[in-house]
Amino acid sequence: MALADEFSKYRSPLVSRYASKEMAFNFSDRKKFSTWRKLWIYLAQAEKALGLPITDAQIAEMETHAEDIDFSMAADEERKLRHDVMAHVHTFAHYCPTAAPIIHLGATSCYVGDNTDLIMLRDGFDILLPKLARVLDRLANFAEKYADLPTLGFTHYQPAQLTTVGKRASLWLQDLCMDMRNLERARDDLRFRGVKGTTGTQASFLQLFQGDHDKFLTPVTVVYLLPRAYLVTGQTYSRKVDIDCLSSLASLGSTVHKICTDIRLLANLKEIEEPFEKEQIGSSAMPYKRNPMRAERCCSLARHLVALMADPLQTAAVQWLERTLDDSANRRISLPESFLTADIILSTLQNITEGLVVYPKVIERHIRHELPFMATENIIMAMVKAGGNRQDCHEKIRVLSQEAAAVVKQEGGDNDLLARVKRDPYFTPILGQLDDLLDPTTFIGRAPQQVSRFLSEEVHPLLEPYKAKLNVKIDLEL
């Protein structure tokens, strides 16, 4: 019956279908409410250290019951009280009767609520950053491997001058490097809300300590490795902090969408494909298809990640004075969903980048179709060096190019510009140079050197702190 009930109500696919266990746990009720209890314990310890009449026995009792949360009792309490924090205060107190009088002493709901959110945000970044590092590592290896493989560049999705497969990957890497720095900065900028009372003035604690301004509760700040606290807050920490965190994730979503769109476009050209499992089915109706479903999933979820950015922007904008509660329900959704979405996007992108397949022969064929047009300037320069007139040569090439283009567009034939050049007596002085003039490697400029320098100067230094975590592989369940 319990199993049937599980499938009789909506379950978020972000948890039931996609996200990792560690990220799902990070935003779980278990993590949230056990952290509340730890914060209450640390609050009591700090208050005792600063002279309040709190006993070791009371603290020991709280520590004994820090993890055994009666979720059913808490739910019953919340239905009666309509207040989640007080519901858990009462539940904790029920199992800690000796400590009951000092649980949550002097604090406001945001002491546990906001500080726990900040801890979850920090821990969420700590889960994401190694995953992003692994994507960077896999793409860096890919870029290095194909740094000098010529390929058609595209502007306006029309064939343009040549680049290399590795140079194109370095463009993806550059955006991901920016995201890495953004996520690290957002994490490192997080501070503790601290213990500041109902409107952030610490008035309740000043009263508890009989007006002694030197007894403010700094020890609580450091216990979760958030060594700094916000010096001023209202009842909550500024909701612009949420903007800062989620904007870095939304920016990552934008990057991943662009990368995976590029992969989908290249898969259509059959130049590059994402990994395809032996028994994977691309289409229920068309058995020959190899759809880029992982890249499509990334794009789909990336749009959701970008769209979530609107929530913290609007929430911060409508916070009245010291605080209003219309932030709460929205943040219960937008904060976890942003991290859960970023988590599965990075796991999927790692899986893609670990198994990208390149088809050099297809790339070579596409180059052959377009290169004669691109080589026309080189042909003109060679003719001028051989004694020809630049304007006469330009006109000759223009006419022959139009004729070859008509064969390609109107007759569906191959680009025969090179054959037309060879048949025209005008170009006899340079016929022996044509193969060299059409060598694709002469059209890629400094792309290989750019890739090498970029990897050594920008990518590899970013990866250094994560070296111990780079060898983890991803096997997607779906």
Side-chain angles (χ1 to χ4, degrees):
M1 184 64 182
L3 185 62
D5 289 344
E6 180 183 353
F7 294 99
S8 299
K9 59 185 179 182
Y10 176 77
R11 299 180 302 161
S12 170
L14 288 175
V15 175
S16 65
R17 186 175 177 88
Y18 295 131
S20 66
K21 291 179 181 179
E22 63 265 29
M23 189 63 82
F25 175 75
N26 187 55
F27 290 97
S28 68
D29 284 349
R30 174 74 62 187
K31 166 82 175 276
K32 176 180 178 180
F33 297 126
S34 65
T35 303
W36 284 14
R37 291 190 173 189
K38 290 170 186 174
L39 287 169
W40 281 321
I41 292 168
Y42 286 120
L43 176 63
Q45 290 173 333
E47 289 173 334
K48 178 180 183 295
L50 292 169
L52 291 188
I54 296 172
T55 68
D56 290 337
Q58 288 174 312
I59 293 173
E61 185 180 55
M62 294 168 70
E63 290 174 332
T64 299
H65 296 283
E67 299 292 341
D68 57 340
I69 301 171
D70 189 335
F71 288 100
S72 178
M73 177 182 287
D76 290 340
E77 288 290 329
E78 187 171 357
R79 276 190 289 272
K80 289 189 298 183
L81 303 175
R82 299 295 177 183
H83 197 290
D84 57 347
V85 173
M86 286 309 299
H88 279 269
V89 169
H90 285 196
T91 302
F92 199 16
H94 177 81
Y95 287 91
C96 302
T98 303
I102 56 94
I103 293 174
H104 199 65
L105 180 61
T108 186
S109 298
C110 288
Y111 165 65
V112 289
D114 272 29
N115 284 323
T116 294
D117 286 343
L118 289 162
I119 291 165
M120 287 178 165
L121 293 176
R122 184 215 48 203
D123 291 351
F125 281 123
D126 284 342
I127 293 170
L128 292 179
L129 282 164
K131 295 188 176 188
L132 178 52
R134 290 195 287 270
V135 172
L136 283 166
D137 177 69
R138 294 349 180 231
L139 265 181
N141 293 338
F142 180 86
E144 184 175 29
K145 180 178 180 180
Y146 295 105
D148 56 359
L149 179 61
T151 188
L152 275 179
F154 287 90
T155 58
H156 314 275
Y157 201 44
Q158 301 299 314
Q161 289 294 326
L162 300 191
T163 182
T164 70
V165 172
K167 172 61 189 298
R168 178 177 284 143
S170 74
L171 299 180
W172 302 338
L173 276 165
Q174 184 176 50
D175 289 350
L176 289 170
C177 286
M178 295 172 65
D179 294 315
M180 174 70 86
R181 288 188 286 266
N182 287 340
L183 265 64
E184 288 179 335
R185 183 201 51 76
R187 178 199 59 189
D188 294 344
D189 281 352
L190 287 171
R191 302 188 186 189
F192 215 60
R193 179 198 174 269
V195 189
K196 293 185 173 65
T198 55
T199 57
T201 65
Q202 295 179 295
S204 58
F205 295 103
L206 194 61
Q207 186 175 16
L208 276 174
F209 295 112
Q210 300 178 331
D212 188 343
H213 286 271
D214 293 328
K215 291 185 176 180
F216 56 92
L217 303 180
T218 54
V220 180
T221 301
V222 301
V223 294
Y224 272 98
L225 303 181
L226 285 169
R228 297 180 300 162
Y230 297 109
L231 296 180
V232 293
T233 71
Q235 187 173 95
T236 70
Y237 67 79
S238 170
R239 295 313 185 211
K240 282 185 72 67
V241 174
D242 296 343
I243 294 176
D244 201 27
C245 292
L246 267 60
S247 66
S248 68
L249 300 183
S251 181
L252 171 65
S254 176
T255 297
V256 174
H257 198 294
K258 185 266 191 294
I259 293 170
C260 289
T261 299
D262 285 354
I263 291 172
R264 292 163 66 190
L265 292 169
L266 294 169
N268 174 261
L269 298 175
K270 297 180 174 58
E271 292 189 357
I272 289 179
E273 284 184 345
E274 66 178 38
F276 198 86
E277 308 297 335
K278 183 178 179 181
E279 297 182 6
Q280 182 175 330
I281 295 174
S283 168
S284 62
M286 296 167 280
Y288 60 87
K289 293 196 75 178
R290 292 169 65 99
N291 297 331
M293 53 81 68
R294 291 174 177 84
E296 290 173 314
R297 176 186 296 171
C298 283
C299 288
S300 182
L301 290 169
R303 290 200 304 274
H304 180 58
L305 183 54
V306 171
L308 284 168
M309 184 65 236
D311 282 337
L313 286 169
Q314 295 185 58
T315 295
V318 300
Q319 288 301 286
W320 299 350
L321 305 174
E322 278 66 49
R323 193 266 172 99
T324 58
L325 193 60
D326 59 353
D327 63 339
S328 179
N330 185 289
R331 294 175 70 252
R332 290 175 192 262
I333 299 169
S334 61
L335 297 186
E337 285 204 356
S338 292
F339 280 84
L340 289 162
T341 305
D343 179 66
I344 186 56
I345 283 175
L346 288 175
S347 295
T348 307
L349 187 57
Q350 180 184 335
N351 179 264
I352 292 171
T353 53
E354 285 178 346
L356 276 176
V357 181
V358 177
Y359 295 106
K361 293 298 183 183
V362 176
I363 293 172
E364 183 182 333
R365 184 174 73 245
H366 290 159
I367 291 175
R368 284 201 308 269
H369 288 168
E370 301 294 339
L371 192 58
F373 292 141
M374 298 176 189
T376 54
E377 185 68 18
N378 288 7
I379 293 173
I380 292 172
M381 292 300 100
M383 278 298 299
V384 171
K385 290 177 182 178
N389 179 284
R390 192 267 177 195
Q391 310 312 326
D392 293 341
C393 185
H394 183 279
E395 180 60 18
K396 283 277 189 180
I397 289 291
R398 187 190 69 81
V399 172
L400 295 178
S401 296
Q402 296 293 336
E403 292 172 352
V407 170
V408 172
K409 296 177 180 179
Q410 297 174 19
E411 301 175 17
D414 291 334
N415 187 337
D416 64 353
L417 175 59
L418 186 57
R420 293 174 184 273
V421 169
K422 289 179 178 179
R423 289 198 300 267
D424 192 317
Y426 178 81
F427 295 99
T428 299
I430 64 164
L431 289 182
Q433 303 177 44
L434 284 180
D435 287 343
D436 291 337
L437 292 174
L438 290 163
D439 179 0
T441 61
T442 65
F443 289 81
I444 60 175
R446 298 190 67 255
Q449 291 77 19
Q450 289 178 346
V451 171
S452 179
R453 182 179 179 186
F454 173 66
L455 294 179
S456 64
E457 293 187 15
E458 296 204 28
V459 179
H460 294 151
L462 266 182
L463 294 179
E464 192 64 29
Y466 305 94
K467 285 180 68 174
K469 299 181 179 180
L470 292 181
N471 291 328
V472 178
K473 291 203 69 173
I474 291 292
D475 292 316
L476 296 180
E477 294 183 7
L478 292 173

